[in-house]
Amino acid sequence: MDGLARIWSAGDGVSRTVAVLLLAMSVSAWVLILWKSWMLTRARRDLARAVPVFWSAPDVATGRTQLAALDREQVLLPMLDALLQPTAPGTLDAGSDAESRLTRLLRDALHRVLGQLQTGQVLLASVGSTSPFVGLFGTVWGIYHALIGISATGSISIDQVAGPVGEALIMTAAGLAVAIPAVLAYNVFGQWVSACEADLEGFAHDLREMALGKQNPKSPKNPWEQGDGLRAP
């Protein structure tokens, strides 16, 4: 702590701005890492539990109720609700064929859910890619500032150079310390989101097939007409 306090007191406005910027980037990255770890873990668990429960329900109304209780991050329910929403008469939506309408509704709902799951990825990528250069800029500026101070004394020795230059190099280490967790988290979260995306696309496909009555063509009942207040798209 004494070394950091000495670097802070010896630095000028530029080096202090770089230090504050790196601190802000680190705090924002770690807050996002902790939040996304919690959110994506819940979403993956909900997908594994909620999908089998929904398909084991006797009708859509019961399935939706069970899905609403298990889908804590709201990644499955928006797609089901998109199919259950009524069609406004006299619109292009009402005039389109059933397959096109189902595809459009599920695609839009899926994109919204994926956007929710991908929240913060841009920030992690930005922090991971820019913080090393921010730290390097702080190092270059610190070395320049140190050499100017040393030249003002009129004499240069290894003792005079090593201390200020070593302190300036801490900026590079700080930039790497900020970047490495952000890059690792970005890659891990990207894999988790991809796994969730595959499960969500499968669920959307199955919903579309059920809505079109293609999963069990011999069944005389339409599953969308069962349950209170639910309508076929």
Side-chain angles (χ1 to χ4, degrees):
M1 294 299 296
D2 293 339
L4 294 177
R6 184 169 61 253
I7 294 174
W8 178 265
S9 60
D12 58 0
V14 175
S15 60
R16 291 178 180 176
T17 300
V18 171
V20 171
L21 180 59
L22 287 175
L23 179 61
M25 295 171 75
S26 178
V27 171
S28 61
W30 275 109
V31 169
L32 187 59
I33 288 171
L34 294 176
W35 172 72
K36 280 190 70 72
S37 297
W38 176 74
M39 185 265 287
L40 289 176
T41 299
R42 280 163 52 100
R44 295 171 70 197
R45 290 177 180 175
D46 293 347
L47 280 169
R49 293 187 306 164
V51 172
V53 170
F54 173 79
W55 291 117
S56 63
D59 52 59
V60 176
T62 304
R64 189 195 181 283
T65 301
Q66 295 174 341
L67 199 63
L70 295 175
D71 189 18
R72 295 171 295 179
E73 292 300 324
Q74 298 289 295
V75 295
L76 294 168
L77 198 60
M79 289 186 287
L80 180 60
D81 287 342
L83 297 186
L84 298 176
Q85 66 183 7
T87 304
T91 61
L92 292 175
D93 185 35
S96 60
D97 63 278
E99 292 191 18
S100 299
R101 182 174 184 273
L102 289 172
T103 300
R104 182 174 63 255
L105 292 174
L106 287 170
R107 182 189 62 230
D108 294 343
L110 179 61
H111 286 172
R112 288 192 297 269
V113 171
L114 291 178
Q116 172 187 338
L117 294 177
Q118 292 170 352
T119 301
Q121 289 292 91
V122 174
L123 176 61
L124 289 177
S126 301
V127 170
S129 61
T130 60
S131 56
F133 297 101
V134 174
L136 182 61
F137 174 78
T139 295
V140 172
W141 184 264
I143 292 175
Y144 168 77
H145 185 70
L147 293 178
I148 292 296
I150 292 172
S151 64
T153 63
S155 61
I156 300 177
S157 65
I158 189 63
D159 295 336
Q160 291 176 317
V161 174
V165 171
E167 293 174 354
L169 289 174
I170 293 177
M171 286 291 188
T172 299
L176 293 175
V178 174
I180 291 174
V183 171
L184 293 177
Y186 175 83
N187 292 331
V188 171
F189 294 155
Q191 293 180 348
W192 290 1
V193 171
S194 296
C196 292
E197 181 178 1
D199 293 337
L200 291 170
E201 287 180 349
F203 183 70
H205 173 77
D206 293 340
L207 282 178
R208 181 179 180 275
E209 294 299 299
M210 184 180 70
L212 292 174
K214 293 181 179 179
Q215 282 193 332
N216 188 8
K218 296 181 180 180
S219 176
K221 296 181 179 180
N222 182 357
W224 297 96
E225 295 177 354
Q226 302 178 32
D228 298 333
L230 297 179
R231 298 176 53 189

